[in-house]
Amino acid sequence: MSIAISIENLVHRYKDAEQVAVNDITLEIKEGEIFGLLGPNGAGKTTTISILSSLIKPTQGKVSIHGFDLAQQSDESKKVIGVVPQEIALYPTLTSKENLDFFGSMYGIQKNNLKEKINHYLHIFGLENTGNKRVEQFSGGMKRRLNLIASLLHDPKVLILDEPTASVDVQSRNMIIEFLRELNKKGTTILYTSHYLEEAENLCTKIAIIDDGKIIIQGSPQQIIGSQPGFDNLENIFLRLTGKKLRD
Amino acid sequence: MRFLVTIKKECLILLRDKAGLAILFVMPLLLITIMSLIQDAPFKDYKENKIPIVYVDNDKDSLGSIIKKGLINSGIFSVITEINEETASDESIKQAVAKGDFRLGIIIPEGATNTMNKNVENRVGKMLAGFGMGKKDSTVFQPDSIQLIILFDPAAKIAFRSSVSSALDKFITRTEMETMLRIFSQKLGEASGIKQEASIESRPLITLKEIQANDSKVAELLTNSVQHNVPAWAIFAMFYIVIPLASSMIKEREEGSALRLLLIPGSYMTSLYGKIFIYTAVCLIQFFLMMLVGIYFLPLLGLPAFEIGTNFIALMLMVIACALAATGYGFMVGSIFNSHHQAMVFGSVSVVILAAIGGVLVPVYVMPGIMQSISIISPLNWSLNGLNNVFLRQTNLSEILPDILRLTGFFVLMILLSVKFNQMKKYK
């Protein structure tokens, strides 16, 4: 399998910050993997995702996505990734169809093709009857699903999701997880962050636990559980490795 | 295509924001209507709006009646001789003016005509004696002074006091001159033995005629409240686009839609350019709506109709330049500030300051010298200057080109600064 995402000695320090947010991370995500990046609040997950999305420039290190070096070819890399941000990144006063039509057109998708895709995804995510309803009238779960659709319209090779199931009901969460599995079967590489460790254990083919900007363990869920004698689930291992101290 | 899609999106968002639409279109129309109505009186000719003046004539002779007649004929004052249905007296006039019931009162002292006649007779007699005519009087004559009392409301402005004093001074000088001529003619007749009194023509030999420096049809328009307020407040409203535009940009960042645009290659700036296009168009619509209100609606309220001039190409270019400058300013405010509160306070206060400096609130020519020098830094001053050139002076394109270039340059500078600020925000 070829490499989808390559991160080498990645360091990021925010302006005026005392500590580095990402501290010398190196990892590889192969094509077709579902990679879970797990860690407590402030561990460096969102900063890593922001760097991969070309939203912020790293202080140090090299990142490439599908062979595109982010320092030189950020526009090319943006074309092959789809990013589902933690917050709902949609226009609340536009309808779901208007939002998808706008963002799809901004990706340069042809009108007819875009219309088909919008109808297809709205149907899959159970939003087909909400096409003319404004997003501000949606429930939290509906917004999350629409937020995901907006990142899929251009058929990305790599899908990066920052806590896609946060604050949604069990039904919506189940639908999103099932969809991600199906998408991965079709060849899409998925990088995913979550605080739901059981969900990550079931979904991911590979996991890295990050804390204080450093990767403290990585491998398949089975490898990680096997490497920690006396622990039989990811959540207990996570607490052992990252501690029980509350984080900001 | 992406640009067109952005325009469509901005239109949809704008059209669904009813409160925003009201701020963009209804508020400016209310503003120019109210400002034109409020400022109509100060702009009106004195002939249309006479100043009431309480008049006490203790003289009851020719000087008192000549001054009264002069005040009435001036057309500036309406002369009132009664307070509370009683003939005004020295006491009642003082009380009425002090209370602010009247802004102005005049008391002509008793025997003023007699004293004036004596003074003039003595002066004329001395003059004729100098030529060997009439009797030589060796006694030293001490002229009595006549003091006309002018009472002002304590709240009356200095400019008002000086204009009234100057008008009264004019009548008194004229009365003095006429009396002197009359007595001079009498004395001359007596000295030469001719009994018949010469007729004296009191019509002024030198008069003033006010004409506009430009002889075009439009330039003959007298500046009135509508002609000043419609362009001035239209420009103010256009620059007030800073509020909805900056708000829209900050909202996009807060809602996260700006984040998604940053994830799509090349789309963030395209989206912002679409925003500039739409808000520039909004400014143009605002301006022409306000022109229509000035032309068709304000006359229904008894105000003069707004004269738009005849040089439509110059007008269009000038308005586009103003709209671009206003949008560019809003774009920069929306790029610098992170919160609605910061942008609203800075945006509104800065526009009011630029409007004040630029001559929207008070014309530049009445400002102190230092403020007149400062006024040239305000884009609202360039806008108002350029538009007044089109509306009132009927200038050609080359004469408003410096203002158009300044406004366009300001727009380019604002956009460059905004791009820089956006980049700084992106790569923090």
Side-chain angles (χ1 to χ4, degrees):
Chain A
M1 277 200 286
S2 56
I3 305 298
I5 298 173
S6 164
I7 301 173
E8 287 174 46
N9 307 111
L10 187 68
V11 176
H12 187 71
R13 184 192 291 272
Y14 286 103
K15 200 181 166 190
D16 302 328
E18 284 177 16
Q19 285 185 312
V20 287
V22 174
N23 191 359
D24 200 21
I25 286 180
T26 297
L27 60 85
E28 277 184 354
I29 300 169
K30 294 190 176 75
E31 268 187 54
E33 272 185 346
I34 302 182
F35 193 97
L37 191 61
L38 310 177
N41 288 338
K45 304 184 297 291
T46 302
T47 303
T48 307
I49 284 182
S50 297
I51 293 169
L52 290 172
S53 315
S54 300
L55 292 174
I56 53 175
K57 278 184 176 170
T59 311
Q60 203 179 298
K62 192 184 172 194
V63 181
S64 61
I65 298 175
H66 273 272
F68 296 117
D69 181 354
L70 258 57
Q72 311 292 330
Q73 299 162 294
S74 67
D75 275 1
E76 284 79 359
S77 80
K78 279 180 182 177
K79 285 176 192 166
V80 296
I81 63 166
V83 181
V84 184
Q86 208 175 93
E87 61 264 51
I88 304 299
L90 300 162
Y91 291 100
T93 54
L94 297 187
T95 66
S96 53
K97 274 189 176 170
E98 285 164 350
N99 264 291
L100 297 175
D101 187 53
F102 172 68
F103 289 117
S105 300
M106 293 307 272
Y107 271 112
I109 303 167
Q110 289 304 306
K111 208 169 174 62
N112 288 341
N113 187 16
L114 180 60
K115 200 175 172 186
E116 269 179 36
K117 281 185 176 192
I118 290 171
N119 290 333
H120 170 70
Y121 282 121
L122 286 177
H123 177 71
I124 286 182
F125 283 92
L127 298 169
E128 67 269 37
N129 295 325
T130 63
N132 297 318
K133 200 173 168 184
R134 289 188 199 179
V135 171
E136 62 193 357
Q137 297 164 333
F138 280 23
S139 68
M142 288 160 81
K143 284 179 187 170
R144 283 262 165 226
R145 282 179 268 158
L146 192 65
N147 205 32
L148 175 55
I149 298 174
S151 309
L152 294 167
L153 295 168
H154 62 298
D155 299 325
K157 289 181 179 174
V158 177
L159 187 64
I160 300 172
L161 305 102
D162 196 1
E163 297 183 30
T165 54
S167 316
V168 296
D169 61 17
V170 178
Q171 284 78 6
S172 284
R173 188 191 300 174
N174 179 59
M175 156 165 277
I176 291 169
I177 295 300
E178 286 305 314
F179 175 79
L180 293 178
R181 270 203 189 97
E182 286 301 311
L183 194 69
N184 177 251
K185 277 182 195 166
K186 289 175 190 166
T188 307
T189 308
I190 292 169
L191 169 61
Y192 149 100
T193 76
S194 179
H195 287 298
Y196 299 108
L197 299 183
E198 196 184 333
E199 178 187 291
E201 191 180 327
N202 292 330
L203 177 69
C204 299
T205 54
K206 203 170 174 186
I207 280 169
I209 296 177
I210 181 173
D211 197 16
D212 292 330
K214 285 188 169 189
I215 289 176
I216 48 178
I217 196 165
Q218 65 173 309
S220 69
Q222 294 74 27
Q223 282 173 334
I224 291 174
I225 292 166
S227 71
Q228 305 290 317
F231 293 94
D232 59 357
N233 66 57
L234 205 55
E235 189 160 329
N236 288 336
I237 292 168
F238 183 89
L239 281 172
R240 182 182 168 269
L241 295 172
T242 60
K244 290 184 178 177
K245 192 182 158 197
L246 294 175
R247 310 297 176 94
D248 295 331
Chain B
M1 183 203 165
R2 297 211 299 191
F3 185 64
L4 293 177
V5 171
T6 301
I7 289 170
K8 183 186 166 193
K9 180 260 296 179
E10 287 295 337
C11 282
L12 285 171
I13 291 173
L14 256 182
L15 290 171
R16 285 175 192 170
D17 181 8
K18 302 282 181 268
L21 283 177
I23 290 169
L24 284 172
F25 296 110
V26 181
M27 296 294 279
L29 300 183
L30 277 176
L31 184 69
I32 56 160
T33 306
I34 290 166
M35 292 310 290
S36 298
L37 283 169
I38 287 172
Q39 291 195 3
D40 186 42
F43 268 94
K44 268 187 179 168
D45 190 15
Y46 282 124
K47 280 176 187 167
E48 290 175 57
N49 213 359
K50 290 179 183 171
I51 301 165
I53 184 167
V54 208
Y55 191 79
V56 175
D57 183 7
N58 293 327
D59 180 45
K60 295 186 176 52
D61 204 338
S62 57
L63 182 63
S65 59
I66 287 169
I67 292 176
K68 186 180 175 186
K69 205 173 152 190
L71 289 170
I72 293 167
N73 290 343
S74 73
I76 300 171
F77 306 102
S78 63
V79 176
I80 293 156
T81 53
E82 287 184 348
I83 298 170
N84 298 331
E85 295 175 5
E86 282 182 23
T87 308
S89 66
D90 290 12
E91 269 314 300
S92 67
I93 190 175
K94 278 178 192 164
Q95 281 176 9
V97 176
K99 276 198 305 186
D101 295 344
F102 295 95
R103 290 163 74 196
L104 187 60
I106 294 177
I107 302 173
I108 310 293
E110 198 179 339
T113 307
N114 255 339
T115 313
M116 186 183 68
N117 286 343
K118 268 189 212 165
N119 292 346
V120 171
E121 264 179 47
N122 180 265
R123 214 173 267 182
V124 171
K126 273 185 181 168
M127 202 193 300
L128 290 173
F131 291 109
M133 300 167 88
K135 284 186 275 180
K136 213 166 196 174
D137 191 354
S138 57
T139 56
V140 179
F141 179 78
Q142 197 64 44
D144 292 330
S145 65
I146 310 162
Q147 276 191 326
L148 272 76
I149 295 165
I150 308 172
L151 298 158
F152 280 109
D153 173 4
K157 287 179 182 165
I158 291 170
F160 173 73
R161 289 176 187 215
S162 59
S163 65
V164 168
S165 297
S166 136
L168 283 170
D169 197 37
K170 194 177 144 192
F171 306 138
I172 293 164
T173 310
R174 198 168 154 191
T175 312
E176 246 181 36
M177 280 304 297
E178 281 174 9
T179 312
M180 200 173 274
L181 277 172
R182 185 170 48 79
I183 291 175
F184 189 79
S185 154
Q186 273 174 9
K187 294 278 180 188
L188 205 60
E190 282 168 19
S192 60
I194 303 166
K195 298 284 176 207
Q196 196 185 335
E197 209 170 287
S199 69
I200 300 161
E201 196 169 338
S202 61
R203 199 171 43 147
L205 296 172
I206 303 169
T207 56
L208 297 173
K209 188 185 176 189
E210 291 180 18
I211 54 164
Q212 297 278 355
N214 187 323
D215 62 357
S216 72
K217 179 179 167 256
V218 180
E220 280 183 22
L221 274 170
L222 285 171
T223 299
N224 54 52
S225 117
V226 170
Q227 209 62 33
H228 169 76
N229 280 304
V230 171
W233 294 104
I235 292 165
F236 181 79
M238 281 164 91
F239 274 83
Y240 231 76
I241 201 113
V242 64
I243 304 295
L245 175 52
S247 172
S248 154
M249 290 172 72
I250 292 166
K251 208 169 160 189
E252 269 193 359
R253 290 203 293 269
E254 284 179 349
E255 286 167 358
S257 42
L259 172 68
R260 192 177 288 284
L261 288 168
L262 285 169
L263 298 168
I264 305 171
S267 68
Y268 187 63
M269 289 318 288
T270 311
S271 170
L272 292 182
Y273 295 142
K275 213 179 264 297
I276 291 171
F277 181 87
I278 282 295
Y279 279 87
T280 304
V282 166
C283 281
L284 294 175
I285 295 168
Q286 273 184 332
F287 187 85
F288 287 108
L289 270 178
M290 283 187 267
M291 295 298 107
L292 291 176
V293 166
I295 295 166
Y296 298 108
F297 178 66
L298 295 183
L300 300 177
L301 304 177
L303 294 167
F306 182 71
E307 286 285 347
I308 202 159
T310 51
N311 197 342
F312 294 111
I313 294 172
L315 175 62
M316 269 313 291
L317 290 174
M318 194 62 220
V319 177
I320 289 170
C322 295
L324 284 173
T327 311
Y329 187 60
F331 195 66
M332 199 215 34
V333 172
S335 301
I336 292 177
F337 293 102
N338 290 320
S339 78
H340 283 277
H341 181 71
Q342 289 171 341
M344 299 306 105
V345 172
F346 177 84
S348 53
V349 172
S350 65
V351 170
V352 170
I353 290 171
L354 288 173
I357 294 171
V360 169
L361 309 180
V362 176
V364 172
Y365 60 83
V366 300
M367 291 181 188
I370 186 158
M371 292 311 292
Q372 289 190 21
S373 311
I374 292 171
S375 73
I376 57 165
I377 65 162
S378 168
L380 279 84
N381 176 260
W382 312 332
S383 307
L384 192 57
N385 197 36
L387 285 172
N388 275 340
N389 276 338
V390 174
F391 293 140
L392 294 173
R393 298 186 193 102
Q394 191 73 339
T395 51
N396 57 37
L397 196 55
S398 64
E399 283 167 283
I400 56 162
L401 202 59
D403 289 319
I404 291 177
L405 289 176
R406 271 190 215 110
L407 289 163
T408 314
F410 178 78
F411 165 71
V412 172
L413 178 69
M414 292 296 107
I415 297 301
L416 290 176
L417 284 173
S418 309
V419 171
K420 193 75 196 157
F421 279 118
N422 279 310
Q423 281 173 346
M424 280 163 65
K425 278 206 171 88
K426 191 177 158 190
Y427 298 121
K428 56 186 172 183

